[in-house]
């Protein structure tokens, strides 16, 4: 195979964006051959905008069995990601899923098991892993340049969303349709980067506020505290209700601190480690000599196209995946732990009781009294978002 034939399942906001750059030939050795959506108007849009040669399907199973594709991108509402991926794997297709991997880890774990047995290439659209700033930050942490991590803080409040955004889809910001709010929709990228760079916490205590700034039933404001095996702590703050918002990621370690803000990576580097200075210094007041270093970052963020290109190259050439699909469970584990902590009003150890999480989620779905006006879902411009 010298070219991968790709089908896009779900051509709403993100699915249509993927379909457009594939149809434009922006991914080498890839060809968009089919799309699927249950909404006839989205299929009309596809016919008018993607080319007459694109095959149109109203049902994902029919697409999977059509022999028209070698691989699929799944860009449907969150709950559908695992069952659709499982079905595609069982029909011998490679899969790239949009974030999040799913809504609850028990469902995602089943998907991962099927993916590993299938032998097919499984990726997830964690496009922020293509950002050279975060790649460099990870390199500094993993290489030991910062020393042992002591504290992590991420204020990620520039996810502002208006009420009209939430009103644009009947499934949005509901327990039954989306499975959560800012944690499950906007923050999968941030929580993935958190664990990709700093590792998984041992336990979580979170405070989620539901419908604090919007007429929604799910969380739109979260503050969470995390603890690690080595004693390190972390604070994660996010909301969709602040403007202009902040995006500041700070990691303190034994050899200084690193801050990512406004696209820049700054390292306040200690000449000797804090622990060594603490042992050896006899002068009372004093602190280690510190150098402020602007870390050069090279490369270009390739975003969604970059993840898709990497996935295609993995299919054709065996190139290692930058964002393996099976890693989608890690950030979701942190997200689920935050929700569960808020629901129980208590600490949650990781790993947590996955059956208990699903039970509590189901209670919220079953008891929901939130009703939206029956309007047709709108496809929004996602240019400039993650």
């Amino acid at each position: 195979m010298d070219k991968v034939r790709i089908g896009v399942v779900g051509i709403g906001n993100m699915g249509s964006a993927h379909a457009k750059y594939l149809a434009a030939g922006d991914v080498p050795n890839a060809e968009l051959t089919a799309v699927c959506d249950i909404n006839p108007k989205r299929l009309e849009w596809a016919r008018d905008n993607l080319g007459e040669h694109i095959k149109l399907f109203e049902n994902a199973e029919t697409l999977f069995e059509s022999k028209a594709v070698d691989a699929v991108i799944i860009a449907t509402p969150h709950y559908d990601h695992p069952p659709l991926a499982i079905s595609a794997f069982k029909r011998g297709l490679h899969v790239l899923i949009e974030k999040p991997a799913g809504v609850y880890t028990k469902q995602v774990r089943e998907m991962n098991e099927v993916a590993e047995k299938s032998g097919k290439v499984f990726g997830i659209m964690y496009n922020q892993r293509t950002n050279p700033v975060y790649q460099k930050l990870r390199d500094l942490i993993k290489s030991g340049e910062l020393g042992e991590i002591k504290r992590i803080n991420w204020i990620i409040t520039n996810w502002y969303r208006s009420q009209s955004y939430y009103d644009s889809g009947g499934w949005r910001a509901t327990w039954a349709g989306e499975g959560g709010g800012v944690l499950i929709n906007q923050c999968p990228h941030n929580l993935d980067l958190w664990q990709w760079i700093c590792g998984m916490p041992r336990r979580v205590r979170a405070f989620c506020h539901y419908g604090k700034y919007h007429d929604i039933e799910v969380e739109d404001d979260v503050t969470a505290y995390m603890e690690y095996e080595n004693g390190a702590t972390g604070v994660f703050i996010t909301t969709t209700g602040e403007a202009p918002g902040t995006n500041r990621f700070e990691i303190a370690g034994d050899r200084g601190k690193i801050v990512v803000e406004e696209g820049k990576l700054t390292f306040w580097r200690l000449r000797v480690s804090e622990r060594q200075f603490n042992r050896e210094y006899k002068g009372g007041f004093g602190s280690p000599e510190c150098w402020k270093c602007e870390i050069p970052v090279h490369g270009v963020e390739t975003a969604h196209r970059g993840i898709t290109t990497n996935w295609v190259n993995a299919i054709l050439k065996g190139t290692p995946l930058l964002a393996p699909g099976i890693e989608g469970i890690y950030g979701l584990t942190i997200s689920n732990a935050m929700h569960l902590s808020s629901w129980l009003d208590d600490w949650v150890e990781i790993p947590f009781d996955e059956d208990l999480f699903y039970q509590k989620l189901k209670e919220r779905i079953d008891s929901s009294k939130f009703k939206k006006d029956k309007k047709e879902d709108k496809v929004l411009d996602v240019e400039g978002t993650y």
Side-chain angles (χ1 to χ4, degrees):
M1 184 168 59
D2 58 4
K3 183 173 283 193
V4 179
R5 300 173 301 155
I6 297 174
V8 176
V9 182
I11 45 175
N13 290 343
M14 285 311 311
S16 59
H18 296 314
K20 283 191 283 189
Y21 68 70
L22 285 167
D26 291 352
V27 177
N29 304 313
E31 178 184 9
L32 180 69
T33 57
V35 296
C36 171
D37 203 289
I38 60 174
N39 183 346
K41 291 192 175 180
R42 294 311 299 155
L43 294 179
E44 288 179 18
W45 172 88
R47 184 181 297 108
D48 294 339
N49 291 272
L50 301 176
E52 295 182 358
H53 65 287
I54 304 297
K55 294 186 178 180
L56 309 178
F57 295 88
E58 299 176 357
N59 179 280
E61 299 299 325
T62 306
L63 168 60
F64 296 160
E65 295 173 354
S66 68
K67 307 298 183 184
V69 299
D70 308 302
V72 290
I73 296 176
I74 295 173
T76 58
H78 306 154
Y79 282 102
D80 294 334
H81 293 177
L84 287 172
I86 289 171
S87 181
F89 286 129
K90 288 182 176 179
R91 286 163 175 78
L93 299 174
H94 305 284
V95 174
L96 177 62
I97 57 170
E98 258 296 344
K99 57 81 185 170
V103 173
Y104 51 99
T105 54
K106 185 174 182 179
Q107 182 190 41
V108 171
R109 197 173 303 282
E110 179 186 358
M111 173 178 65
N112 285 354
E113 291 172 358
V114 174
E116 290 181 321
K117 290 177 183 177
S118 74
K120 297 301 176 181
V121 178
F122 179 32
I124 185 168
M125 191 55 74
Y126 280 148
N127 47 284
Q128 281 299 292
R129 291 195 185 190
T130 72
N131 188 326
V133 172
Y134 294 122
Q135 291 177 351
K136 190 66 173 182
L137 174 60
R138 185 173 189 264
D139 173 58
L140 291 170
I141 301 298
K142 299 297 183 183
S143 67
E145 191 73 26
L146 187 63
E148 188 173 22
I149 293 176
K150 293 181 173 182
R151 189 185 307 277
I152 312 159
N153 289 288
W154 202 341
I155 303 173
I156 177 69
T157 58
N158 64 342
W159 281 125
Y160 182 76
R161 295 290 186 270
S162 68
Q163 185 65 41
S164 63
Y165 164 83
Y166 291 110
D167 293 342
S168 68
W171 62 284
R172 286 195 183 282
T174 62
W175 293 115
E178 201 161 27
V182 64
L183 289 176
I184 203 73
N185 195 323
Q186 283 76 38
C187 285
H189 294 294
N190 310 111
L191 294 175
D192 172 64
L193 291 172
W194 181 290
Q195 67 80 28
W196 191 54
I197 292 166
C198 303
M200 291 290 290
R202 177 175 64 87
R203 65 176 190 158
V204 174
R205 182 69 174 97
F207 301 89
C208 300
H209 301 272
Y210 304 93
K212 183 176 183 178
Y213 297 115
H214 305 90
D215 183 20
I216 57 176
E217 66 180 359
V218 295
E219 82 285 349
D220 57 1
D221 184 84
V222 178
T223 298
Y225 176 82
M226 294 176 251
E227 292 183 348
Y228 283 75
E229 289 291 347
N230 73 337
T233 61
V235 175
F236 185 85
I237 299 171
T238 192
T239 181
T240 56
E242 291 179 15
T246 297
N247 185 353
R248 179 183 172 93
F249 192 10
E250 177 174 320
I251 306 172
D254 187 43
R255 297 193 63 89
K257 72 175 181 181
I258 301 175
V259 174
V260 175
E261 190 169 22
E262 296 182 350
K264 296 180 180 179
L265 199 160
T266 307
F267 186 4
W268 281 265
R269 190 181 190 278
L270 301 183
R271 189 171 185 183
V272 299
S273 75
E274 181 278 326
R275 291 289 80 193
Q276 178 186 344
F277 184 87
N278 182 69
R279 289 191 303 269
E280 298 176 353
Y281 182 68
K282 306 303 180 185
F285 291 106
S287 59
E289 183 179 342
C290 181
W291 306 331
K292 183 180 179 181
C293 308
E294 299 293 341
I295 303 298
V297 176
H298 305 288
V300 177
E301 181 182 352
T302 55
H304 302 94
R305 290 169 176 80
I307 291 293
T308 305
T309 299
N310 172 248
W311 174 61
V312 168
N313 287 337
I315 295 170
L316 294 176
K317 307 171 186 177
T319 302
L321 285 170
L322 177 59
I326 59 171
E327 294 184 7
I329 198 169
Y330 300 137
L332 183 65
T333 295
I334 300 175
S335 171
N336 281 183
M338 289 179 182
H339 271 134
L340 187 58
S341 172
S342 176
W343 298 338
L344 298 176
D345 194 19
D346 201 357
W347 284 96
V348 167
E349 304 283 333
I350 293 177
F352 53 81
D353 185 334
E354 293 182 336
D355 290 322
L356 176 62
F357 177 86
Y358 182 68
Q359 173 193 328
K360 295 297 182 182
L361 174 63
K362 195 75 166 55
E363 287 174 4
R364 276 150 185 80
I365 294 171
D366 293 342
S367 63
S368 173
K369 295 180 174 61
F370 196 81
K371 303 295 181 184
K372 288 193 175 186
D373 294 337
K374 291 290 184 180
K375 297 177 181 177
E376 184 176 341
D377 291 354
K378 297 178 182 178
V379 177
L380 304 176
D381 182 7
V382 296
E383 193 68 29
T385 71
Y386 280 177

